[in-house]
Amino acid sequence: QSEDTRELQKQVPVEPLQEMFILDLEKAETVSKSQIKSMTFTKDTEVNPGDGQATVENGNVEQASTANQNTSTQIESSQTDSNHQSGPLAPKGLKKLTVSLSVESPSYEEFEKFIETLESLKRTVVIESIDYAGGTEVTSLEQDNQPFTYILTASAFYMPNLTDLEAEVPLIDAPESANKDN
């Protein structure tokens, strides 16, 4: 059935759309009253459909965890033992744009709001890891609450091999030029 793919490309676009992903991160930052201290991007990571691991092209570091290996072993064994699949596998050619964020939130509630906002975006975003260290315990009224600081790794996905759909890539809504001279 022929459909307009613009809505589908808001979930998994044909191009990485890194600028749009940054705008989504800034939206989560504003909504949760958190502050992103730094961002580090890794692009063109191939998502292998069979094993759940990620290998990186273009000379970047390979990323694979033991949790992913255990999951892939369980999926493979369940497929060989019966016709039941435990979950959807990634389509061939799927790539991901991974960002490592250093974030500071005023409290745990804002931290939860930041993650909730990322997970509720139209674009498919997966939180891969969260590293944080707890602050000191508040034992008196004179002590102030310290901000909640953490490092979060999130991935957004795209399908670059669907070249015939490049004309329908979602555009970033940007205001027209004010025609001012510097």
Side-chain angles (χ1 to χ4, degrees):
Q1 175 175 342
S2 179
E3 289 185 35
D4 185 23
T5 64
R6 284 187 176 89
E7 285 302 312
L8 293 174
Q9 285 200 52
K10 289 180 182 178
Q11 295 174 357
V12 181
V14 175
E15 296 177 2
L17 298 180
Q18 184 171 343
E19 298 84 9
M20 192 174 285
F21 190 39
I22 291 172
L23 290 175
D24 289 339
L25 294 171
E26 289 177 353
K27 173 186 171 186
E29 179 183 37
T30 303
V31 167
S32 68
K33 299 176 186 160
S34 299
Q35 184 177 12
I36 297 174
K37 299 290 188 177
S38 67
M39 294 183 199
T40 306
F41 283 88
T42 305
K43 227 194 294 195
D44 295 333
T45 304
E46 185 76 30
V47 178
N48 293 332
D51 62 4
Q53 296 179 6
T55 56
V56 179
E57 297 175 358
N58 301 331
N60 292 330
V61 181
E62 182 177 318
Q63 299 176 349
S65 69
T66 56
N68 286 342
Q69 292 170 354
N70 293 339
T71 303
S72 67
T73 305
Q74 292 171 356
I75 290 172
E76 289 171 8
S77 65
S78 69
Q79 289 175 351
T80 56
D81 292 345
S82 67
N83 291 332
H84 176 338
Q85 286 188 349
S86 62
L89 297 176
K92 186 174 174 100
L94 184 69
K95 293 192 176 194
K96 66 180 178 176
L97 172 66
T98 304
V99 62
S100 179
L101 302 168
S102 175
V103 186
E104 185 176 283
S105 296
S107 69
Y108 186 79
E109 288 77 21
E110 283 83 5
F111 158 72
E112 284 182 325
K113 186 69 174 171
F114 185 81
I115 292 174
E116 179 183 311
T117 305
L118 285 180
E119 290 178 339
S120 67
L121 293 172
K122 273 194 171 191
R123 185 160 183 184
T124 303
V125 176
V126 173
I127 307 298
E128 293 188 357
S129 69
I130 302 170
D131 294 324
Y132 68 94
T136 59
E137 183 178 1
V138 177
T139 57
S140 69
L141 293 173
E142 290 81 32
Q143 287 179 307
D144 290 331
N145 284 338
Q146 294 179 348
F148 194 74
T149 305
Y150 50 97
I151 297 171
L152 181 130
T153 305
S155 292
F157 300 91
Y158 62 101
M159 290 283 294
N161 58 349
L162 299 175
T163 55
D164 55 335
L165 300 177
E166 287 178 350
E168 298 177 10
V169 171
L171 301 174
I172 298 174
D173 293 330
E176 288 294 322
S177 169
N179 296 322
K180 294 183 179 181
D181 292 328
N182 289 339

